[in-house]
Amino acid sequence: MKHIRNFCIIAHIDHGKSTLADRLLEATQTIQVTEGQMLDDMDLERERGITIKSHAIQMEYDYRKGGRDVNGEELSDGKYILNLIDTPGHVDFSYEVSRSIAACEGALLVVDATQGVQAQTISNLYMAIDHNLEIIPVINKIDMPSAMPDEVEDEIVDLLGCDPSDIIRASGKTGEGVDQILDAVVERIPHPEGDPKAPLQALIFDSVFNSFRGIIAYFKIINGTIRQGDMVKFFNTGMEYDADEIGVLKMDMIPRKELQTGDVGYIISGIKNSREVKVGDTITHVKTPCDKAIEGFQEVKPMVFAGVYPIDPTEYENLRASLEKLQLNDASLTFTPESSVALGFGFRCGFLGLLHMEIIQERLDREFDMDVITTVPNVSYMCYTKQGEEKEVHNPSGLPDQTMIERIEEPYIRASIITAADYIGAIMTLCLDKRGELIDQQYVSGNRVELHFMLPLGEIVIDFYDKLKSISKGYASFDYHIDSFRPSKLVKLDILLNGEPVDALSTLTHQDNAVTFGRRMCEKLKELIPRQQFDIAIQAAIGAKIIARETVKQVRKDVTAKCYGGDVSRKRKLLEKQKRGKKRMKQIGNVEVPQKAFLAVLKLD
């Protein structure tokens, strides 16, 4: 155990975590790095240049420094096993980070020398400190012409209260400082604590689905030992399995006969049903089980909800199977069945944010070949009726009648925005337009300011992040966490096509924004809905009151073209006949709403 170190890399998005991980893998000769970001193995990750999943990999490092460890004991030279978990940096994937942190004893805090400390850096740092992880600060990209290592060093010292000599300067591009990082991991990060002779306790921190071998669970052993062929049980579900294969994670899975306390590895036991594996569950032996499950693992709380429906209604069961397999690989996705008048049967899915929703949609298309329609995203509200009932509403159509509602409360977030002082005015205007209120502002260093706002979550789920990036020229960084529910004047805005409400387009919005929002929705839909043989009335309504209307004009054939000469009544007769036909068509005709219309709401500006 004294020769094992478990650590993760945490940082803000685009600060060079995955590139630094490549250099560590190269330095320990774990793999031959043939292209950038070897651990980002998903096509989507490569295309977008972001990490979506945490990736665990084992390295072996030959330590020859003869230094001392955290407790002041002398370190013996020789091989050390380093289990590295590379984590995402985007705020939407912070659940991945929390799971990685639960499986580690230390963390590398990577800060970009050109950008300094940013919002997500602070958020991930606090998460690591809450789990009592040992932090090793690293300044990355020091080879860049625009690097400011001295200023960034001061920011880190202010943030951590550490000694400037503890901060390692490195470059993921040139490999400078990588040996220092590896030595620091061995010297500063404590080895795993645990009792190898105690009953088995292993924490599941991730899982993947393999179509040939079933579900593969990744775990970290807290106490005890596991051997191939052991009978094990999963604590929360109570299911028992045979450990067909266990092993460690390198670039591929390497089988082992046994794994001991402190090891990070995988288990294959032929599990086919995705409901039987829960991330955060505890694995133990059937004969000598442990007394209690491992604590301190948080359940995920989705922030944004949207309906996901198959374009072809017969694909409903396939969509369910695809979502279950995706949920194994991404535990922060939640879904429940629902039905819609306009779209048929589908699922109400909970996501951590808009990028997360976009990624899930892409993965459904690429990995499972599913064509889906996604409705307007919204957040969950608390609705209190006049009878004193309390109801959580994820979907505007689940709202009780307006006359029954006493009040609706919406979730508020505490947002932290770090930006250059030049953009404060524009950012404040943006937040105040979104019904935000400023709590305080602090100067982080020189020209950089940290602003704290209270904002309604419903206002930021649609286009807030994009606007923030454009007005700050990409320099502002944003992080948030849920604070509380507050009463708010919310109304349900319905969109009617020929008098029929389209439930998938209805939204809950603030009373002050309802009229302008309704008007813009009608104008946008007029552009997107194709013309039919009859007039289509597009209306926005609050309850029974219509607040905006647009009409898509009918396509008309010139029926009088063949009438030349003769009496005018011949023309009138033909036009009357056409008019009756149009009227009959309007009664039986239905309007197809294209997929673009559902997405248009997101991009009204």
Side-chain angles (χ1 to χ4, degrees):
M1 239 195 324
K2 291 201 168 175
H3 282 242
I4 298 175
R5 300 286 183 272
N6 299 319
F7 70 103
C8 58
I9 303 184
I10 55 176
H12 189 81
I13 190 167
D14 207 21
H15 277 207
K17 297 175 293 302
S18 302
T19 313
L20 195 63
D22 282 353
R23 298 291 83 76
L24 294 172
L25 295 176
E26 244 174 10
T28 53
Q29 294 169 352
T30 307
I31 50 165
Q32 193 68 40
V33 176
T34 49
E35 56 188 320
Q37 280 91 23
M38 291 295 283
L39 292 180
D40 291 352
D41 50 5
M42 224 186 289
D43 290 344
L44 261 175
E45 292 181 316
R46 295 258 165 103
E47 281 168 27
R48 290 173 178 243
I50 56 173
T51 305
I52 293 167
K53 283 287 303 163
S54 351
H55 301 274
I57 190 163
Q58 189 179 93
M59 308 181 284
E60 286 183 6
Y61 178 55
D62 203 1
Y63 178 75
R64 295 273 174 233
K65 282 280 165 55
R68 293 181 177 278
D69 69 6
V70 212
N71 307 320
E73 293 174 22
E74 205 160 310
L75 289 165
S76 56
D77 288 354
K79 284 245 184 329
Y80 282 78
I81 290 173
L82 313 180
N83 291 309
L84 156 72
I85 304 179
D86 178 26
T87 62
H90 198 282
V91 64
D92 279 13
F93 304 111
S94 54
Y95 187 59
E96 287 283 328
V97 183
S98 75
R99 302 205 325 247
S100 313
I101 285 174
C104 292
E105 280 84 34
L108 293 183
L109 180 76
V110 178
V111 182
D112 187 333
T114 62
Q115 297 181 49
V117 171
Q118 297 203 294
Q120 198 57 28
T121 317
I122 298 174
S123 159
N124 286 341
L125 171 69
Y126 288 156
M127 209 190 292
I129 290 173
D130 286 347
H131 283 78
N132 296 325
L133 264 62
E134 186 63 41
I135 311 289
I136 300 175
V138 177
I139 298 178
N140 193 22
K141 306 193 188 180
I142 58 164
D143 58 311
M144 301 277 279
S146 56
M148 326 167 281
D150 297 333
E151 287 92 325
V152 175
E153 192 171 275
D154 295 341
E155 284 180 25
I156 295 175
V157 170
D158 285 349
L159 184 66
L160 281 174
C162 63
D163 204 77
S165 59
D166 293 344
I167 301 170
I168 300 170
R169 297 188 179 192
S171 163
K173 199 171 174 185
T174 62
E176 187 182 334
V178 168
D179 292 340
Q180 272 175 279
I181 292 174
L182 288 165
D183 290 337
V185 166
V186 174
E187 290 162 10
R188 294 197 223 165
I189 292 177
H191 60 74
E193 299 287 338
D195 181 358
K197 295 188 172 62
L200 174 68
Q201 258 189 326
L203 171 78
I204 300 178
F205 66 88
D206 205 356
S207 55
V208 289
F209 181 81
N210 182 312
S211 43
F212 301 108
R213 315 208 55 184
I215 291 160
I216 304 168
Y218 298 161
F219 62 84
K220 177 201 176 184
I221 302 179
I222 310 290
N223 288 314
T225 307
I226 184 170
R227 293 177 184 81
Q228 189 181 346
D230 282 356
M231 278 301 285
V232 295
K233 87 167 177 185
F234 288 18
F235 210 88
N236 289 345
T237 54
M239 306 293 276
E240 299 182 1
Y241 308 102
D242 190 23
D244 296 338
E245 185 184 306
I246 57 168
V248 295
L249 298 153
K250 295 216 170 175
M251 221 38 203
D252 297 313
M253 294 184 285
I254 313 286
R256 292 271 191 272
K257 290 286 180 219
E258 76 164 28
L259 293 173
Q260 296 176 339
T261 307
D263 278 332
V264 172
Y266 69 90
I267 178 168
I268 299 175
S269 42
I271 307 169
K272 291 285 184 283
N273 188 348
S274 55
R275 289 192 191 88
E276 292 171 25
V277 178
K278 278 199 163 47
V279 166
D281 201 351
T282 305
I283 304 176
T284 187
H285 280 130
V286 172
K287 287 180 183 164
T288 53
C290 56
D291 309 333
K292 58 181 198 299
I294 299 161
E295 291 173 1
F297 203 78
Q298 298 162 335
E299 275 291 307
V300 61
K301 275 204 169 65
M303 302 287 176
V304 177
F305 294 86
V308 174
Y309 294 86
I311 286 178
D312 177 2
T314 56
E315 292 281 290
Y316 175 73
E317 280 305 323
N318 290 354
L319 179 60
R320 180 197 292 275
S322 306
L323 283 169
E324 280 177 359
K325 288 172 188 171
L326 251 183
Q327 194 179 32
L328 272 177
N329 197 234
D330 183 349
S332 51
L333 170 69
T334 59
F335 62 92
T336 50
E338 73 163 4
S339 63
S340 146
V341 182
L343 301 168
F345 290 101
F347 295 93
R348 189 96 200 140
C349 296
F351 308 98
L352 294 184
L354 271 196
L355 177 70
H356 186 215
M357 172 175 138
E358 211 178 298
I359 296 291
I360 294 289
Q361 241 177 309
E362 278 279 314
R363 288 183 70 182
L364 280 172
D365 181 29
R366 291 185 188 204
E367 295 172 31
F368 303 99
D369 213 16
M370 293 297 310
D371 284 336
V372 294
I373 287 179
T374 310
T375 64
V376 183
N378 56 21
V379 298
S380 61
Y381 298 93
M382 295 306 290
C383 178
Y384 295 87
T385 61
K386 288 180 179 167
Q387 282 80 26
E389 292 171 4
E390 183 183 320
K391 188 180 178 189
E392 192 172 341
V393 180
H394 297 316
N395 192 345
S397 58
L399 209 61
D401 193 63
Q402 198 73 35
T403 54
M404 306 285 287
I405 298 171
E406 186 179 315
R407 70 178 193 281
I408 302 175
E409 293 188 354
E410 63 175 332
Y412 267 70
I413 58 162
R414 189 186 171 94
S416 146
I417 299 171
I418 296 181
T419 177
D422 317 357
Y423 308 116
I424 291 181
I427 288 173
M428 278 191 176
T429 310
L430 172 69
C431 293
L432 296 173
D433 286 350
K434 297 278 185 189
R435 298 191 282 128
E437 48 192 79
L438 180 68
I439 301 170
D440 64 2
Q441 65 180 61
Q442 299 158 355
Y443 277 83
V444 183
S445 69
N447 190 31
R448 312 243 323 285
V449 186
E450 183 172 7
L451 303 165
H452 289 119
F453 277 94
M454 288 297 277
L455 284 157
L457 181 61
E459 292 282 346
I460 70 155
V461 297
I462 291 188
D463 55 359
F464 180 80
Y465 198 66
D466 296 344
K467 282 185 177 171
L468 179 70
K469 282 289 177 202
S470 60
I471 61 178
S472 66
K473 300 191 171 56
Y475 280 116
S477 61
F478 175 68
D479 180 50
Y480 64 87
H481 56 263
I482 284 288
D483 187 78
S484 58
F485 278 81
R486 295 185 183 185
S488 192
K489 289 181 185 171
L490 295 167
V491 290
K492 182 183 169 194
L493 182 74
D494 286 313
I495 298 292
L496 314 175
L497 293 181
N498 278 348
E500 290 291 318
V502 181
D503 57 354
L505 284 174
S506 61
T507 50
L508 273 175
T509 181
H510 195 267
Q511 205 167 353
D512 302 347
N513 307 341
V515 176
T516 47
F517 187 70
R519 196 167 289 141
R520 278 158 54 202
M521 280 277 286
C522 290
E523 286 165 6
K524 195 76 182 173
L525 288 170
K526 184 183 177 182
E527 293 168 25
L528 293 167
I529 291 177
R531 289 170 71 186
Q532 307 277 353
Q533 300 272 354
F534 50 89
D535 277 355
I536 303 170
I538 304 167
Q539 294 165 310
I542 296 171
K545 184 183 172 193
I546 304 292
I547 55 170
R549 172 183 169 132
E550 292 287 338
T551 308
V552 178
K553 281 295 182 197
Q554 60 193 4
V555 183
R556 295 186 65 163
K557 184 180 171 188
D558 186 4
V559 287
T560 59
K562 62 180 186 286
C563 273
Y564 47 92
D567 189 34
V568 72
S569 59
R570 286 180 64 198
K571 281 188 182 178
R572 197 172 294 138
K573 187 178 162 192
L574 285 168
L575 288 169
E576 286 296 326
K577 189 180 173 188
Q578 184 187 34
K579 199 171 170 184
R580 284 198 301 276
K582 294 279 182 206
K583 194 174 175 184
R584 198 164 56 244
M585 207 182 276
K586 187 172 182 173
Q587 285 166 353
I588 59 164
N590 61 346
V591 185
E592 286 286 313
V593 183
Q595 161 74 359
K596 273 191 279 187
F598 295 109
L599 300 176
V601 189
L602 301 183
K603 303 191 172 68
L604 274 179
D605 299 339

